[in-house]
Amino acid sequence: MSLHPLADQPAVSYVMPVLNEEGYLERAVQTILAQDYDGEKEIVLALGPSRDRSTEIARGIAATDRRVRLVDNPDRDIPAGLNRAIAASVHPVIIRVDAHSELTPDYTRRGVAALRETGAANVGGVMRAAGSSPVQRAIARGYNSPFGLGGGAYHGDGSPGPAESAYLGIFRREAIDAVGGYDPGILRGEDWELNLRIRRAGFSVWFEPALGVTYWPRASFRDLAKQFFATGTWRAVLVRKYGRANPWRFFAPGTLVVALVASLLVLALLVTTVLPWGWWALGLAPLGGYALGIAFAVWRIPEQRGALDRLLTAVALVTMHTSWGTGFLRGIVFGGGRVVDRSRA
């Protein structure tokens, strides 16, 4: 399916769902307003029922800059908020942004150029996670490493080309309208699901590594576990709905959790002498293999300073893998239900 030709400097609409983001919102909006792009801009913030000062901050920003507009998102969920912001926006290019993200100054200019040159319906770049505390930096290292989140192109540098999905995304409005926007029933993994429908409609999704976004992940292991449990649950929903369209790597964390639980059960039975040592000790292989794998990953991941950093990196990786995998198993058996990410509550 083809798209209409895009002007050299088309007007752009930035859409951002906001919920409990008082520590990040103002900076995120500032990086949008500071874009070195000459086309007309607007920002639409979809305000969920925050428990912090996010709504107050958003209203203050909108009061001082007419390019910023606000819409209510009483459902609080990200897909519903994005749909409301998109409906309230007016420009032919829609740029999804996150209150936890900061765009490089050339992000819009380069992204719009890639849209025009490739004819793609959506263009995305590289997520570069960052942290301000030891724990948040450890979590960021997990995000930035294939040992943490696997093989998604936008988690590392690579070559420009067609992609399965995109981080955030710079969209042609035509394509979003053609597929009906975000599915409000998919509470996590909504970007992957939308990009799947875009590709199935005959449009293309493009990875452009020159585009960079700084992402500030959760700052505690407890919040990370909540986030990844919800993500794993909804990935399972997408597996139930779309089957083989899902890459094999999404099955790995659930398989890992099953193997580790079985290995721990064998260990308990061996220690209590319910099972005799011998061949049964082979049941400890998944546990031992995973421990060695984490040790190898910690050794390979860069930007660590000393034993504490390495310990925190190991905890971050294990939390990501097991929380995601446990959520995935929950979703496979029971579906998504009302499992939502409460880590920003």
Side-chain angles (χ1 to χ4, degrees), residues 224-309:
L224 180 69
K226 291 178 182 178
Q227 178 192 17
F228 272 62
F229 181 85
T231 300
T233 298
W234 285 97
R235 174 52 59 182
V237 172
L238 293 173
V239 166
R240 288 165 57 131
K241 184 173 182 178
Y242 292 110
R244 294 182 179 178
N246 293 266
W248 68 267
R249 67 179 183 273
F250 291 131
F251 295 85
T255 303
L256 171 67
V257 168
V258 171
L260 290 179
V261 169
S263 194
L264 287 169
L265 178 60
V266 169
L267 177 61
L269 294 175
L270 289 171
V271 169
T272 57
T273 68
V274 173
L275 292 176
W277 289 86
W279 288 107
W280 282 107
L282 293 175
L284 303 180
L287 190 61
Y290 183 60
L292 290 173
I294 291 295
F296 177 78
V298 169
W299 175 62
R300 292 285 297 173
I301 290 175
E303 299 179 359
Q304 300 181 95
R305 302 175 182 175
L308 178 60
D309 270 7

Side-chain angles (χ1 to χ4, degrees), residues 16-65:
M16 179 194 294
V18 177
L19 181 71
N20 300 319
E21 298 287 3
E22 67 176 3
Y24 299 92
L25 176 59
E26 190 165 8
R27 177 60 183 163
V29 173
Q30 287 174 352
T31 67
I32 297 171
L33 297 175
Q35 292 290 288
D36 63 357
Y37 182 71
D38 294 331
E40 185 180 351
K41 309 179 191 72
E42 68 170 352
I43 304 173
V44 183
L45 306 180
L47 304 179
S50 294
R51 297 180 181 177
D52 61 10
R53 296 180 56 253
S54 295
T55 299
E56 178 185 342
I57 293 169
R59 288 172 178 164
I61 296 170
T64 59
D65 196 312

Side-chain angles (χ1 to χ4, degrees), residues 63-271:
T64 59
D65 196 312
R66 62 179 181 80
R67 293 172 295 180
V68 181
R69 295 190 290 116
L70 312 177
V71 296
D72 288 330
N73 180 31
D75 297 320
R76 76 171 270 146
D77 298 325
I78 290 174
L82 287 168
N83 284 341
R84 289 187 169 99
I86 291 168
S89 68
V90 297
H91 295 322
V93 173
I94 296 170
I95 301 180
R96 181 188 166 175
V97 285
D98 188 273
H100 261 58
S101 64
E102 297 177 9
L103 309 182
T104 56
D106 60 356
Y107 183 83
T108 303
R109 175 169 52 82
R110 287 180 176 271
V112 170
L115 278 181
R116 189 171 57 252
E117 293 165 5
T118 65
N122 184 20
V123 171
V126 178
M127 171 204 281
R128 296 188 174 95
S132 60
S133 68
V135 170
Q136 192 177 39
R137 285 193 293 270
I139 293 170
R141 288 192 290 271
Y143 267 90
N144 293 332
S145 170
F147 296 113
L149 290 184
Y154 52 83
H155 292 299
D157 297 326
S159 301
E164 168 193 324
S165 186
Y167 175 57
L168 300 181
I170 301 174
F171 296 87
R172 295 290 302 272
R173 180 183 292 273
E174 291 177 69
I176 290 182
D177 289 344
V179 300
Y182 286 89
D183 184 342
I186 302 297
L187 302 187
R188 298 288 296 180
E190 69 282 350
D191 293 310
W192 183 90
E193 196 273 343
L194 174 62
N195 282 292
L196 174 64
R197 286 187 283 117
I198 285 174
R199 290 187 288 111
R200 286 185 169 181
F203 302 111
S204 64
V205 178
W206 189 264
F207 172 63
E208 177 48 69
L211 299 178
V213 181
T214 297
Y215 173 75
W216 297 90
R218 303 303 187 266
S220 73
F221 294 129
R222 179 181 179 184
D223 287 345
L224 180 69
K226 291 178 182 178
Q227 178 192 17
F228 272 62
F229 181 85
T231 300
T233 298
W234 285 97
R235 174 52 59 182
V237 172
L238 293 173
V239 166
R240 288 165 57 131
K241 184 173 182 178
Y242 292 110
R244 294 182 179 178
N246 293 266
W248 68 267
R249 67 179 183 273
F250 291 131
F251 295 85
T255 303
L256 171 67
V257 168
V258 171
L260 290 179
V261 169
S263 194
L264 287 169
L265 178 60
V266 169
L267 177 61
L269 294 175
L270 289 171
V271 169

